[in-house]
Amino acid sequence: MSSGPAATAGPAASPSALQRAFDRAAEEYGVPGSVLLGVSYLQSRWDGHGGAASVTGGYGPMHLTDARTALAEAPHHSHGAEDARGDSARPARTVTDAALPDPARLPAQLRTLERAAGLTGIPAGELRESVAANVRGGAALLADAQRRLGLPLSEDPGDWYGAVARFSGADDTATATVYADDVFDVIRSGEARTTDDGQRMVLAADPGAAPDRTQAAALGLRTADASRTECPPTVACEWIPAPYEEFGEGDYGNHDKGDRPRSQSVEYIVVHDTEATWDTTLQLVQNPEYVSWQYSLRSSDGHIAQHVPLKDVAWHAGNWYVNAKSVGLEHEGFLVAPDAWYTEAMYRTSARLVRYLAHRFDIPLDRQHIIGHDNVPGTTTATIRGMHTDPGPYWDWAHYFRLLGRPLTPSAGPDSAVVTVRPAYDAHKPLYTGCVRAGEACAPHGSGAVRLHTGPGEDTPLVKDVGLRPDGADSTNGVNDTGARASTGQQYAVAERRGDWTAVWYLGQKAWFHNPRTQPTAVPSRGTLVTPREGLDRVPVYGRAYPEASAYPAGVPVQAVSPLPYTLGAGQRYVAGDRTPGEYLYAPKFDTSVHRVVRGQEEYVQIQFGHRVAFVKAADVRVVRR
């Protein structure tokens, strides 16, 4: 067992004000400094978020939850009106926003700020707004958990395993222990970073920290049913199945039976947010008249519930081609405020799950395959405007890919033909509007997205998206407007460079973004580029890779190969992903005996065309650079 380093480990000459606040709180409540810092890191990575609530109503570096207040202040946003199934061969299955929960019925894990106020005597408002007070509140909760377990306020971090597990708020043993294990991994390895308000924080490594894991048994938590889950051993999973049953006049829900990967390959993992509380999310996915996804992830502690077997096809992405070839991950976020933040606990378990899925299905860990719901293309011109925009510009893709073990680093020289978007998330705070009211500026917030202009200057208009605005109007800086947005990890072909500005090919036009060498928002990269083959002025762009008409057998209706309202012009170049034959899953009925996978001879190439991916016919383009 080890006593561990002091919370002030690091540059002793001048610790930050926040580091000193951790020191004082640890001493006041008798909590080892490394434990307090480790718990806070797993909640928020020590960020205060300017007093803004997380997606589950948590405030400050300790993520003290006051969902009652957060709900009262929360705007309600819709991410669109897409058909979640995305199959024009069947009636639309649309998703409406879930009702916000009754604050009086919120569970205890969403009201920890209230308990912290009682333990410390600090007013709730101060606990929400003052990072120092918030840290004191977190220390008080840890000390209270230790006392309730009948354990002394020991100086040894290892004696606090049970209290850390209790702090997670988890209601099952597996999740509580995974959370505590993560905290002690942070304590053993150490961490250092500059917070969102510019404060340098250091937790020195204590490789000898040895927690007493037997303490978890004293928590009296339930054992979750993990019998049918498909999860890595490093996360806590629970089986809560989505129903496959008939109802109404021949309709059924809320997914399709399949035999993946034997029937179809799995090529994508799609990141969503839930737009509902955890309890509401579970109720919805168990409703046969709703839609489905494979996994839900809880924000407070990273707990995972699986609903649909990986061999089956869930209805989640709004594009049937993508649904048939993807796994959907819903991340809890009921405040539906686009500037709300996600916990480190959820980022970590999500990344572990994605690594497991990528290994299982041989999916590359890149942004052509690990995509947001906001990167899924509309199936036809008519569906583009209704496509969803989650997880939005505040999802930290750079951090996510570091956790995936694939950090987004330069792979070419400064004059590369390809760039990968990668602004410094915490320091990059572009103006967005509409988080609370239309046209009203959102609170400043770190972002992984850059805005694209028609020329090399902030005063030039944003590029147009004729799919979103057929009337030719300019894109806006609205938080849900993806028309002029490139997101971290996405790769684009360079069209021109001029001073601190870089132009890329985007939606059939040159799109400029500020990319100074001193503070770059993109890194030079390598990639395969395609352009229209010789003799073609323009080639059509598609939102799905469906087979040619001659490939369909008798009894399977031919699906239209419908181009989107965009074209790829001669001389333009786009970063290419997979090359694949056209494919369509015909699954119109509950009776799976009529289901068929139709494959054609026509091949498609996936490209990064705008904020969303798209497809072009391989016969229409040629490779110009690898």
Side-chain angles (χ1 to χ4, degrees):
M1 305 284 270
S2 168
S3 60
T8 52
S14 181
S16 69
L18 182 57
Q19 191 99 44
R20 293 194 299 271
F22 274 93
D23 290 345
R24 290 192 295 268
E27 181 177 0
E28 179 181 1
Y29 289 98
V31 180
S34 61
V35 170
L36 188 60
L37 284 164
V39 167
S40 178
Y41 186 86
L42 205 66
Q43 292 293 337
S44 68
R45 290 200 293 157
W46 304 318
D47 285 339
H49 294 277
S54 77
V55 295
T56 46
Y59 292 85
M62 298 303 299
H63 195 246
L64 303 182
T65 53
D66 183 13
R68 189 187 306 265
T69 296
L71 283 170
E73 299 173 349
H76 203 51
H77 291 268
S78 171
H79 284 314
E82 72 177 21
D83 167 15
R85 202 154 46 187
D87 180 12
S88 56
R90 293 181 286 182
R93 181 63 65 87
T94 57
V95 178
T96 56
D97 286 335
L100 295 176
D102 179 359
R105 303 180 64 183
L106 291 169
Q109 67 263 32
L110 296 181
R111 294 184 285 109
T112 61
L113 189 140
E114 179 184 312
R115 286 203 300 115
L119 291 169
T120 62
I122 301 173
E126 189 175 347
L127 288 169
R128 288 193 295 269
E129 298 168 12
S130 165
V131 292
N134 191 273
V135 171
R136 286 183 64 201
L141 288 173
L142 280 165
D144 183 62
Q146 186 80 340
R147 292 190 195 95
R148 288 174 180 266
L149 289 169
L151 298 171
L153 300 181
S154 168
E155 295 181 358
D156 187 339
D159 292 338
W160 288 75
Y161 186 88
V164 170
R166 175 72 77 189
F167 190 94
S168 72
D171 63 352
D172 72 282
T173 302
T175 304
T177 55
V178 167
Y179 178 92
D181 287 344
D182 272 351
V183 169
F184 278 91
D185 282 346
V186 170
I187 292 171
R188 282 190 292 266
S189 62
E191 286 289 350
R193 70 183 295 266
T194 300
T195 67
D196 58 357
D197 63 350
Q199 301 207 47
R200 185 65 181 169
M201 293 291 296
V202 178
L203 169 56
D206 181 11
D212 181 4
R213 299 183 81 252
T214 64
Q215 293 177 359
L219 298 176
L221 304 177
R222 70 185 177 93
T223 299
D225 177 13
S227 58
R228 295 184 59 189
T229 58
E230 299 164 285
C231 291
T234 53
V235 303
C237 254
E238 181 174 9
W239 178 248
I240 301 177
Y244 186 70
E245 59 187 56
E246 290 183 288
F247 63 87
E249 298 181 3
D251 205 350
Y252 67 96
N254 53 17
H255 58 282
D256 279 296
K257 295 294 184 183
D259 190 23
R260 306 185 308 176
R262 288 196 300 177
S263 59
Q264 290 184 280
S265 61
V266 177
E267 304 289 347
Y268 307 102
I269 298 170
V270 183
V271 173
H272 305 254
D273 68 40
T274 64
E275 301 300 329
T277 63
W278 181 254
D279 290 343
T280 300
T281 296
L282 299 187
Q283 291 170 11
L284 290 173
V285 79
Q286 293 177 88
N287 178 358
E289 298 187 40
Y290 202 64
V291 297
S292 63
W293 47 93
Q294 274 81 10
Y295 298 92
S296 296
L297 292 95
R298 189 162 61 200
S299 179
S300 59
D301 52 23
H303 179 66
I304 299 172
Q306 183 175 358
H307 313 297
V308 176
L310 292 172
K311 68 181 181 64
D312 295 338
V313 176
W315 303 342
H316 61 95
N319 182 313
W320 185 238
Y321 178 81
V322 175
N323 278 341
K325 300 177 76 65
S326 71
V327 175
L329 277 58
E330 287 277 4
H331 297 77
E332 183 185 16
F334 71 85
L335 294 187
V336 286
D339 58 347
W341 51 280
Y342 298 89
T343 65
E344 178 69 0
M346 185 164 66
Y347 272 125
R348 288 189 171 217
T349 56
S350 180
R352 289 176 191 148
L353 178 59
V354 168
R355 286 201 306 270
Y356 164 83
L357 295 169
H359 177 75
R360 177 165 174 168
F361 294 112
D362 195 25
I363 300 172
L365 289 171
D366 58 41
R367 288 284 276 119
Q368 293 166 337
H369 299 86
I370 314 301
I371 61 177
H373 196 175
D374 54 348
N375 305 136
V376 176
T379 53
T380 64
T381 298
T383 65
I384 292 173
R385 299 184 72 182
M387 296 301 289
H388 284 202
T389 62
D390 57 303
Y394 301 121
W395 181 265
D396 193 345
W397 286 107
H399 180 55
Y400 199 49
F401 270 80
R402 283 192 294 272
L403 294 173
L404 289 173
R406 292 292 190 275
L408 304 169
T409 55
S411 59
D415 296 323
S416 63
V418 174
V419 291
T420 300
V421 176
R422 198 203 65 180
Y425 182 92
D426 291 327
H428 181 65
K429 299 180 178 181
L431 171 68
Y432 290 105
T433 61
C435 291
V436 179
R437 282 179 287 274
E440 185 174 295
C442 302
H445 196 291
S447 173
V450 299
R451 192 163 289 125
L452 301 168
H453 294 260
T454 55
E458 296 286 354
D459 57 345
T460 60
L462 298 178
V463 296
K464 302 177 189 294
D465 184 335
V466 296
L468 289 175
R469 293 180 175 82
D471 61 359
D474 293 335
S475 299
T476 73
N477 55 17
V479 74
N480 285 314
D481 188 344
T482 61
R485 182 181 300 169
S487 185
T488 290
Q490 293 181 324
Q491 294 187 316
Y492 297 90
V494 175
E496 188 178 347
R497 289 183 172 94
R498 197 180 302 175
D500 287 343
W501 287 76
T502 298
V504 296
W505 292 113
Y506 182 97
L507 294 179
Q509 61 202 299
K510 276 188 182 180
W512 293 84
F513 65 96
H514 193 224
N515 187 30
R517 290 183 181 270
T518 54
Q519 290 183 304
T521 52
V523 297
S525 303
R526 300 180 186 277
T528 300
L529 301 180
V530 296
T531 192
R533 66 175 176 83
E534 294 179 7
L536 295 179
D537 291 334
R538 303 186 172 277
V539 301
V541 176
Y542 304 89
R544 55 193 179 186
Y546 275 0
E548 65 278 11
S550 61
Y552 289 80
V556 178
V558 173
Q559 301 301 299
V561 179
S562 177
L564 300 177
Y566 314 107
T567 57
L568 193 163
Q572 297 180 13
R573 301 181 177 193
Y574 293 85
V575 175
D578 293 338
R579 179 171 174 147
T580 181
E583 190 171 284
Y584 172 63
L585 171 61
Y586 179 62
K589 298 180 179 180
F590 183 78
D591 177 10
T592 60
S593 67
V594 301
H595 293 192
R596 297 284 185 275
V597 176
V598 182
R599 291 186 179 88
Q601 297 297 313
E602 182 87 70
E603 290 190 324
Y604 292 81
V605 178
Q606 179 183 316
I607 60 172
Q608 185 65 60
F609 189 61
H611 183 70
R612 302 180 189 270
V613 300
F615 302 91
V616 291
K617 291 183 178 180
D620 288 342
V621 296
R622 60 186 178 91
V623 174
V624 293
R625 182 184 293 267
R626 292 187 185 274

